[in-house]
Amino acid sequence: MSMISERGMGSTTGRLSFTVLFFVVLLSGYHRWVEAQHCVWYGQCGESEKVPGKKYNCNYTGPPVPLKTEGYELLTELCPGYNYGDRSLCCDVDQLNTLKESLQLPLQFLSRCPSCFYNLMNLFCELTCSPHQSQFMNATKFVGENVTEVQYYIGQTFTNAMYNACQDVQAPSTNVKALSLLCGKDAQDCNATNWIQYMFSIDNGQTPFPIIPIFSDVRVHGYTPMNNKTYACTEGLEDGSGPCSCQDCTAACGPKPVPPPLPPPWTILGMDAMSVIMWLSYMAFLLIFVGALVVAWCCRSRTITSEYGPILDSNNPLSLNSDISNQENGSCCETLGERFENLLRTFFSSWGSFCVRHPSVVLLGSLILVTACSGGLIYMRITTDPVELWSSPESQARQEKNYFDERFGPFFRTTQLIITTPINDTFIYSPYFGGSDVPFKAILFKDILHQ
C-alpha cells in the first residue's frame, strides 16, 4: 500500500510540474507577443538641434493608439495599408503631416512610376506608423523624452526590390534619372543600400535625427527585419494603377525588336555582282572610246597627207598665205567677223594713240566720271539697329512695338553675365537635400536689361 501511495503521489507531482511548466511557456510566449506589439515612439516633442524646423518623436513603449478621425483621410492618402479596424498606430496626425511634407520632393520625381513610389511609401509608413515597430526598430539614443537615434532593420530583399523598381525612373525637368537627385550622388554610383542610407542621414537636411538602417533577411539581435511585399515596375497596384511606362522602367519595354535577316549577297562567280557589273561597264566604255579614237585617226590619215602641205607648196593657189583665196571662199559669217575684228583693231588703236598724246585729258575725265558715279554716297546711311534692319516702319509688328514702347516703356532683351570667384575650394552642392556653409566656387547668372 505504501508503494502504491508513493507511486500515486509521484504521478500527481509530475502532472503538476508539467502543468506549471506549460503555463510558464505560454505566458512567456504571450509576453513576447505583447512586447512585439508595442511602439517605439508616438507623437512629436522637441525641435531637432541639427535640422531646425524638424521635430523629434516622443519616446513611447506602450501599445498602438487609435488614430483620431481627422487623420483618416491623410492615412488613406499616405499609408492605405493601415486603413482598417480601429486604425491603432504608433503615430498621430502631426506625424502623418510631417511625413507628407517630407515626401513632397520624392513624390515629384517618383510618382511617375506607381509601384516605385508605393514601395518607398511602404518603407516610410512602416518606420513612422507601424503598430509592430518594436519588431524591427530599436531606439538607441534619447534626450529627455525625445528619441534622437533609432536602428531600422530592413530586409535586403525589400531593399533590392525597391531599388530595382526605381532605378530607371526619369526626372523630365532635368533629363536625368531621379536617383541622381535623391541619392546624393550620380545614379550610376547609387545602389540599394547607399540610397536608403542617404535618405536616413541627417546630412540631407531633411532627417531630424539619425536613422541607422541595418540590412538583413534573417533575424538580427532578436529583431525581425521589415520585409513587406513589394511591386516590380512591371506590375500594377491593387488600387488599379498600371505598371510603369517604358521610359521609367526598362523591363516594361519588352524585348528589343529583332531586325529582319539580311538578304543573301548577290554574287557573280563568287564576287560582288555590282562590282563585277561596274567593272564590265567601265571596260566596255573604255574599249569603245579607244576604238573610236583609233578609227578616227585612221580615217584622217587617209584623207590628209600633211597639215603643212599647203604652206610648203608655194605654187599651190590655195596657200594659207593667200588673202585673196580666203576672201573669195569665205562664208558670210567669216566676212562679218573679219570686218568686226578690223573695226575693233582700228578703234582701240586710235584710243591708245589718243591716251598717249593727251594723258592729262584722259586722267581728268576719268576723275570726273568716278566722282559723278560716287555722288550718291552722300545719301548713304548706315543702320546698326536690328529693329530697323528686320522690320519695315509700316509693318504691323513695328506698329505694335511702337504702341507698346509709348505706353509701357521700351521692351528690353536679356543677356547673361557670368561672375566667378577666385576661391578654388569646391564641393558638390545639392539643392534638394540641403547645402553646406563651407566656401564654394559660385557661378552666378544674372539677367542684365539692355535695349
Side-chain angles (χ1 to χ4, degrees), residues 384-403:
T384 58
D385 187 358
V387 176
E388 298 289 342
L389 292 173
W390 296 341
S391 64
S392 171
E394 292 78 19
S395 65
Q396 181 179 356
R398 185 72 171 275
Q399 294 176 6
E400 292 176 353
K401 178 185 181 303
N402 294 336
Y403 180 86

Side-chain angles (χ1 to χ4, degrees), residues 131-171:
H132 312 289
Q133 279 183 338
S134 58
Q135 290 183 354
F136 49 81
M137 285 178 58
N138 178 31
T140 54
K141 290 184 180 180
F142 307 90
V143 175
E145 60 178 358
N146 301 321
V147 178
T148 59
E149 183 182 280
V150 296
Q151 294 176 338
Y152 188 6
Y153 294 83
I154 309 171
Q156 190 67 51
T157 302
F158 177 90
T159 303
N160 294 334
M162 185 181 75
Y163 173 78
N164 292 335
C166 299
Q167 62 177 340
D168 295 325
V169 178
Q170 298 290 324

Side-chain angles (χ1 to χ4, degrees), residues 48-123:
S48 173
E49 298 178 354
K50 299 181 178 180
V51 184
K54 303 290 184 178
K55 291 186 176 182
Y56 292 119
N57 293 329
C58 303
N59 181 29
Y60 173 74
T61 56
V65 180
L67 184 67
K68 295 182 180 180
T69 306
E70 56 266 25
Y72 287 177
E73 183 177 352
L74 195 58
L75 181 66
T76 304
E77 177 185 355
L78 299 176
C79 308
Y82 295 145
N83 191 23
Y84 64 90
D86 61 355
R87 301 174 180 83
S88 295
L89 304 171
C90 293
C91 63
D92 59 6
V93 179
D94 293 335
Q95 288 176 283
L96 286 175
N97 284 319
T98 301
L99 176 62
K100 182 177 180 180
E101 294 175 0
S102 301
L103 292 177
Q104 288 304 308
L105 182 63
L107 175 64
Q108 296 178 14
F109 302 118
L110 301 182
S111 59
R112 293 165 47 91
C113 184
S115 56
C116 165
F117 191 69
Y118 174 86
N119 297 335
L120 182 72
M121 291 297 301
N122 206 345
L123 174 71

